[in-house]
Amino acid sequence: LLELYADPTLVEKPALLSERGGAWYSEAALELVEALRSPVGRTLVVDVRNGDAFADLPRDLVVEVASRVDRDGAHPVGGPPLTRAQRELVLALDRCQRLTIRAALSGDREVALEALVANPLVPSREVAEPLLDAILEANRPQLPRFFPEDRR
């Protein structure tokens, strides 16, 4: 989308926006582009590496927080320490996301199952197993590593 918005002849919202969903996404994207090009910048809520924003979270964990966005990028604004419950939820979601990435890169079904089981919204392995089967089958063309037999 950023590449599309870089085109000065663009006069209508790109069709790609309708595929992404989410109201006001185009306005948020434009605010981000404007802030990145501005010598002054502005504060926006964006996904960034934690760095030192939350001392009790890993530095490389991605957080969605208010950040000062300018020509040099996005710089998270620190906040108060998370409560124990908040920290546990953030770390559980991070574990789920890291496992999902590992599974996508490897095509390892067991790692994919572990990722679903780690998701706080999935109550059990018994729920995760058929859910994984359904997710993989519904997205089969985009997940060739999980289906090596299709490559023959």
Side-chain angles (χ1 to χ4, degrees):
L1 280 173
L2 291 176
E3 289 175 18
L4 293 172
Y5 279 121
D7 179 358
T9 64
L10 183 68
V11 294
E12 294 182 12
K13 288 184 183 181
L16 182 59
L17 281 176
S18 64
E19 295 175 25
R20 295 213 27 122
W24 310 111
Y25 182 80
S26 59
E27 283 79 4
L30 286 173
E31 286 180 1
L32 178 61
V33 170
E34 287 174 353
L36 287 168
R37 298 192 62 171
S38 167
V40 177
R42 63 191 293 186
T43 301
L44 299 171
V45 175
V46 294
D47 291 357
V48 292
R49 286 185 186 270
N50 176 49
D52 295 321
F54 295 93
D56 58 340
L57 294 176
R59 291 180 53 79
D60 69 335
L61 186 138
V62 174
V63 291
E64 185 172 333
V65 294
S67 300
R68 190 72 192 154
V69 180
D70 58 29
R71 288 181 176 171
D72 295 323
H75 318 280
V77 176
L82 301 177
T83 66
R84 181 177 161 200
Q86 289 170 328
R87 183 176 189 279
E88 288 174 1
L89 178 59
V90 167
L91 292 175
L93 291 170
D94 180 59
R95 175 172 159 65
C96 174
Q97 291 166 353
R98 289 176 192 260
L99 287 166
T100 300
I101 292 166
R102 203 169 99 206
L105 292 174
S106 67
D108 187 321
R109 191 178 193 87
E110 281 305 310
V111 175
L113 182 58
E114 190 179 346
L116 274 176
V117 171
N119 188 316
L121 298 176
V122 178
S124 68
R125 186 177 185 89
E126 292 72 31
V127 170
E129 287 173 341
L131 181 59
L132 176 61
D133 291 339
I135 290 170
L136 291 177
E137 192 55 46
N139 295 282
R140 190 178 189 121
Q142 290 78 38
L143 300 171
R145 290 186 176 149
F146 287 94
F147 302 98
E149 66 275 11
D150 290 356
R151 289 188 253 170
R152 295 180 188 151

